[in-house]
Amino acid sequence: MSTSSRYFITGAAGQLGRLVVAELARRAGPDSVTAIVRDPARAAGLFPNGVTVRAGDYDQPETLARALDGAERVLLISSNAIGARVAQHGHVIEAAKRAGVARLAYTSALRAGTSRLSVADEHRQTEALIVASGLAHTLLRNGWYHENYTASIPPALQHGALIGSAGQGRISSAARADYAEAAAIALLDDAAEDRVVHELAGDEAFTLADFAAELSRQTGRQIPYIDLPEADYRGALIGAGLPEPVADLLASSDAVAADGALFDAGRALSSLLGRPTTPVAQAITRALQG
């Protein structure tokens, strides 16, 4: 199996992966990019013309060995299979090591080494595997996405209130597209040191009360923020039809956000991008426009 591609993206069919592939194709040319997906047939039309598409499944190491053949730089996009991610990521890391890739980048979590977020432990373990591999690497420690909150707009409008459990905690989220662009820039960096860690978050911090106020301003409706105990918020999410693991993740994340787990003032993301990050007010506008 041969390809002229330099940049390989695993988990490329996801929302973040598609954006990274498009940004790399724009900056480096589509023929330099390989998108790795579980089912290439289902990925038809997802990527710019000229991007190579290969099959690779996090749960099937033999497919990853073939998928990464000839790779120079690889972006491992973290799996969404909470509880199984360390093993899945380990398969990619081992395949990258055997392929002799020059650099492995990984989408981790903000301050993964010390974070109290429930998702952080699997990221810590994955980072340890990457360090132990001996590969030159870039850790993209992404903060929360604006989209995590704009997804709450329809029910907030339906019920006349935004609910959560984050208290007055300030949240430095950024648009998914901001993190995707940063990943592309990091992967293209020819001068990167052997070990690079980027703590990435939005320039502006807001509370959920601030978010509700901006939503109210843009809609002309009074949409208050109602802060709930973590258990009550979890129950409300389950009652709304979310699977229990997702409800657990969202409720526990809000609870630690109340203590600053999602706040960061470093502006490393805008520094990497060379521009300000997308304001949350703009994300709300886009969500309302559909």
Side-chain angles (χ1 to χ4, degrees):
M1 184 184 296
S2 63
T3 177
S4 61
S5 299
R6 298 184 66 195
Y7 311 107
F8 286 57
I9 314 301
T10 71
Q15 291 176 305
L16 180 64
R18 281 176 276 173
L19 292 171
V20 176
V21 169
E23 186 64 23
L24 281 169
R26 185 182 72 83
R27 289 173 175 264
D31 60 344
S32 70
V33 184
T34 293
I36 299 173
V37 302
R38 279 185 294 183
D39 185 352
R42 295 182 63 183
L46 289 183
F47 309 115
N49 290 335
V51 169
T52 300
V53 180
R54 289 184 178 177
D57 189 321
Y58 287 173
D59 288 317
Q60 298 180 36
E62 67 281 3
T63 68
L64 295 169
R66 293 192 295 269
L68 294 182
D69 181 45
E72 182 177 334
R73 300 179 192 177
V74 175
L75 173 64
L76 164 55
I77 293 182
S78 57
S79 164
N80 60 7
I82 296 173
R85 295 194 289 185
V86 178
Q88 291 179 332
H89 297 163
H91 294 156
V92 179
I93 295 164
E94 183 59 30
K97 184 175 180 179
R98 291 185 178 182
V101 305
R103 175 167 298 274
L104 177 65
Y106 170 63
T107 59
S108 188
L110 184 66
R111 294 189 298 275
T114 58
S115 176
R116 293 175 51 228
L117 288 169
S118 61
V119 298
D121 185 58
E122 287 183 303
H123 287 301
R124 278 192 290 270
Q125 293 182 61
T126 298
E127 288 189 6
L129 291 176
I130 292 171
V131 172
S133 75
L135 292 168
H137 57 271
T138 299
L139 303 179
L140 300 159
R141 290 178 169 173
N142 292 345
W144 243 223
Y145 299 155
H146 287 336
E147 289 83 354
N148 292 357
Y149 300 102
T150 57
S152 300
I153 289 177
L157 295 178
Q158 179 183 354
H159 299 292
L162 177 73
I163 64 172
S165 189
Q168 292 301 307
R170 298 171 68 197
I171 298 161
S172 304
S173 65
R176 182 180 282 111
D178 291 339
Y179 293 115
E181 185 178 344
I185 291 170
L187 207 62
L188 290 165
D189 186 359
D190 292 328
E193 298 178 355
D194 284 351
R195 184 177 188 272
V196 180
V197 180
H198 293 296
E199 301 285 358
L200 303 176
D203 291 343
E204 300 176 1
F206 59 90
T207 66
L208 290 187
D210 294 333
F211 186 95
E214 178 61 24
L215 179 60
S216 298
R217 186 190 71 79
Q218 292 197 29
T219 60
R221 296 175 54 185
Q222 190 61 33
I223 309 293
Y225 170 60
I226 299 177
D227 195 60
L228 300 173
E230 180 183 351
D232 291 353
Y233 181 41
R234 176 183 179 275
L237 293 172
I238 293 172
L242 270 66
E244 288 194 19
V246 176
D248 288 341
L249 170 63
L250 294 176
S252 65
S253 296
D254 257 26
V256 296
D259 294 328
L262 297 178
F263 173 73
D264 185 84
R267 292 180 176 260
L269 178 54
S270 57
S271 178
L272 190 60
L273 295 174
R275 62 166 175 80
T277 59
T278 304
V280 70
Q282 184 175 325
I284 291 173
T285 301
R286 289 175 178 170
L288 290 172
Q289 292 173 344

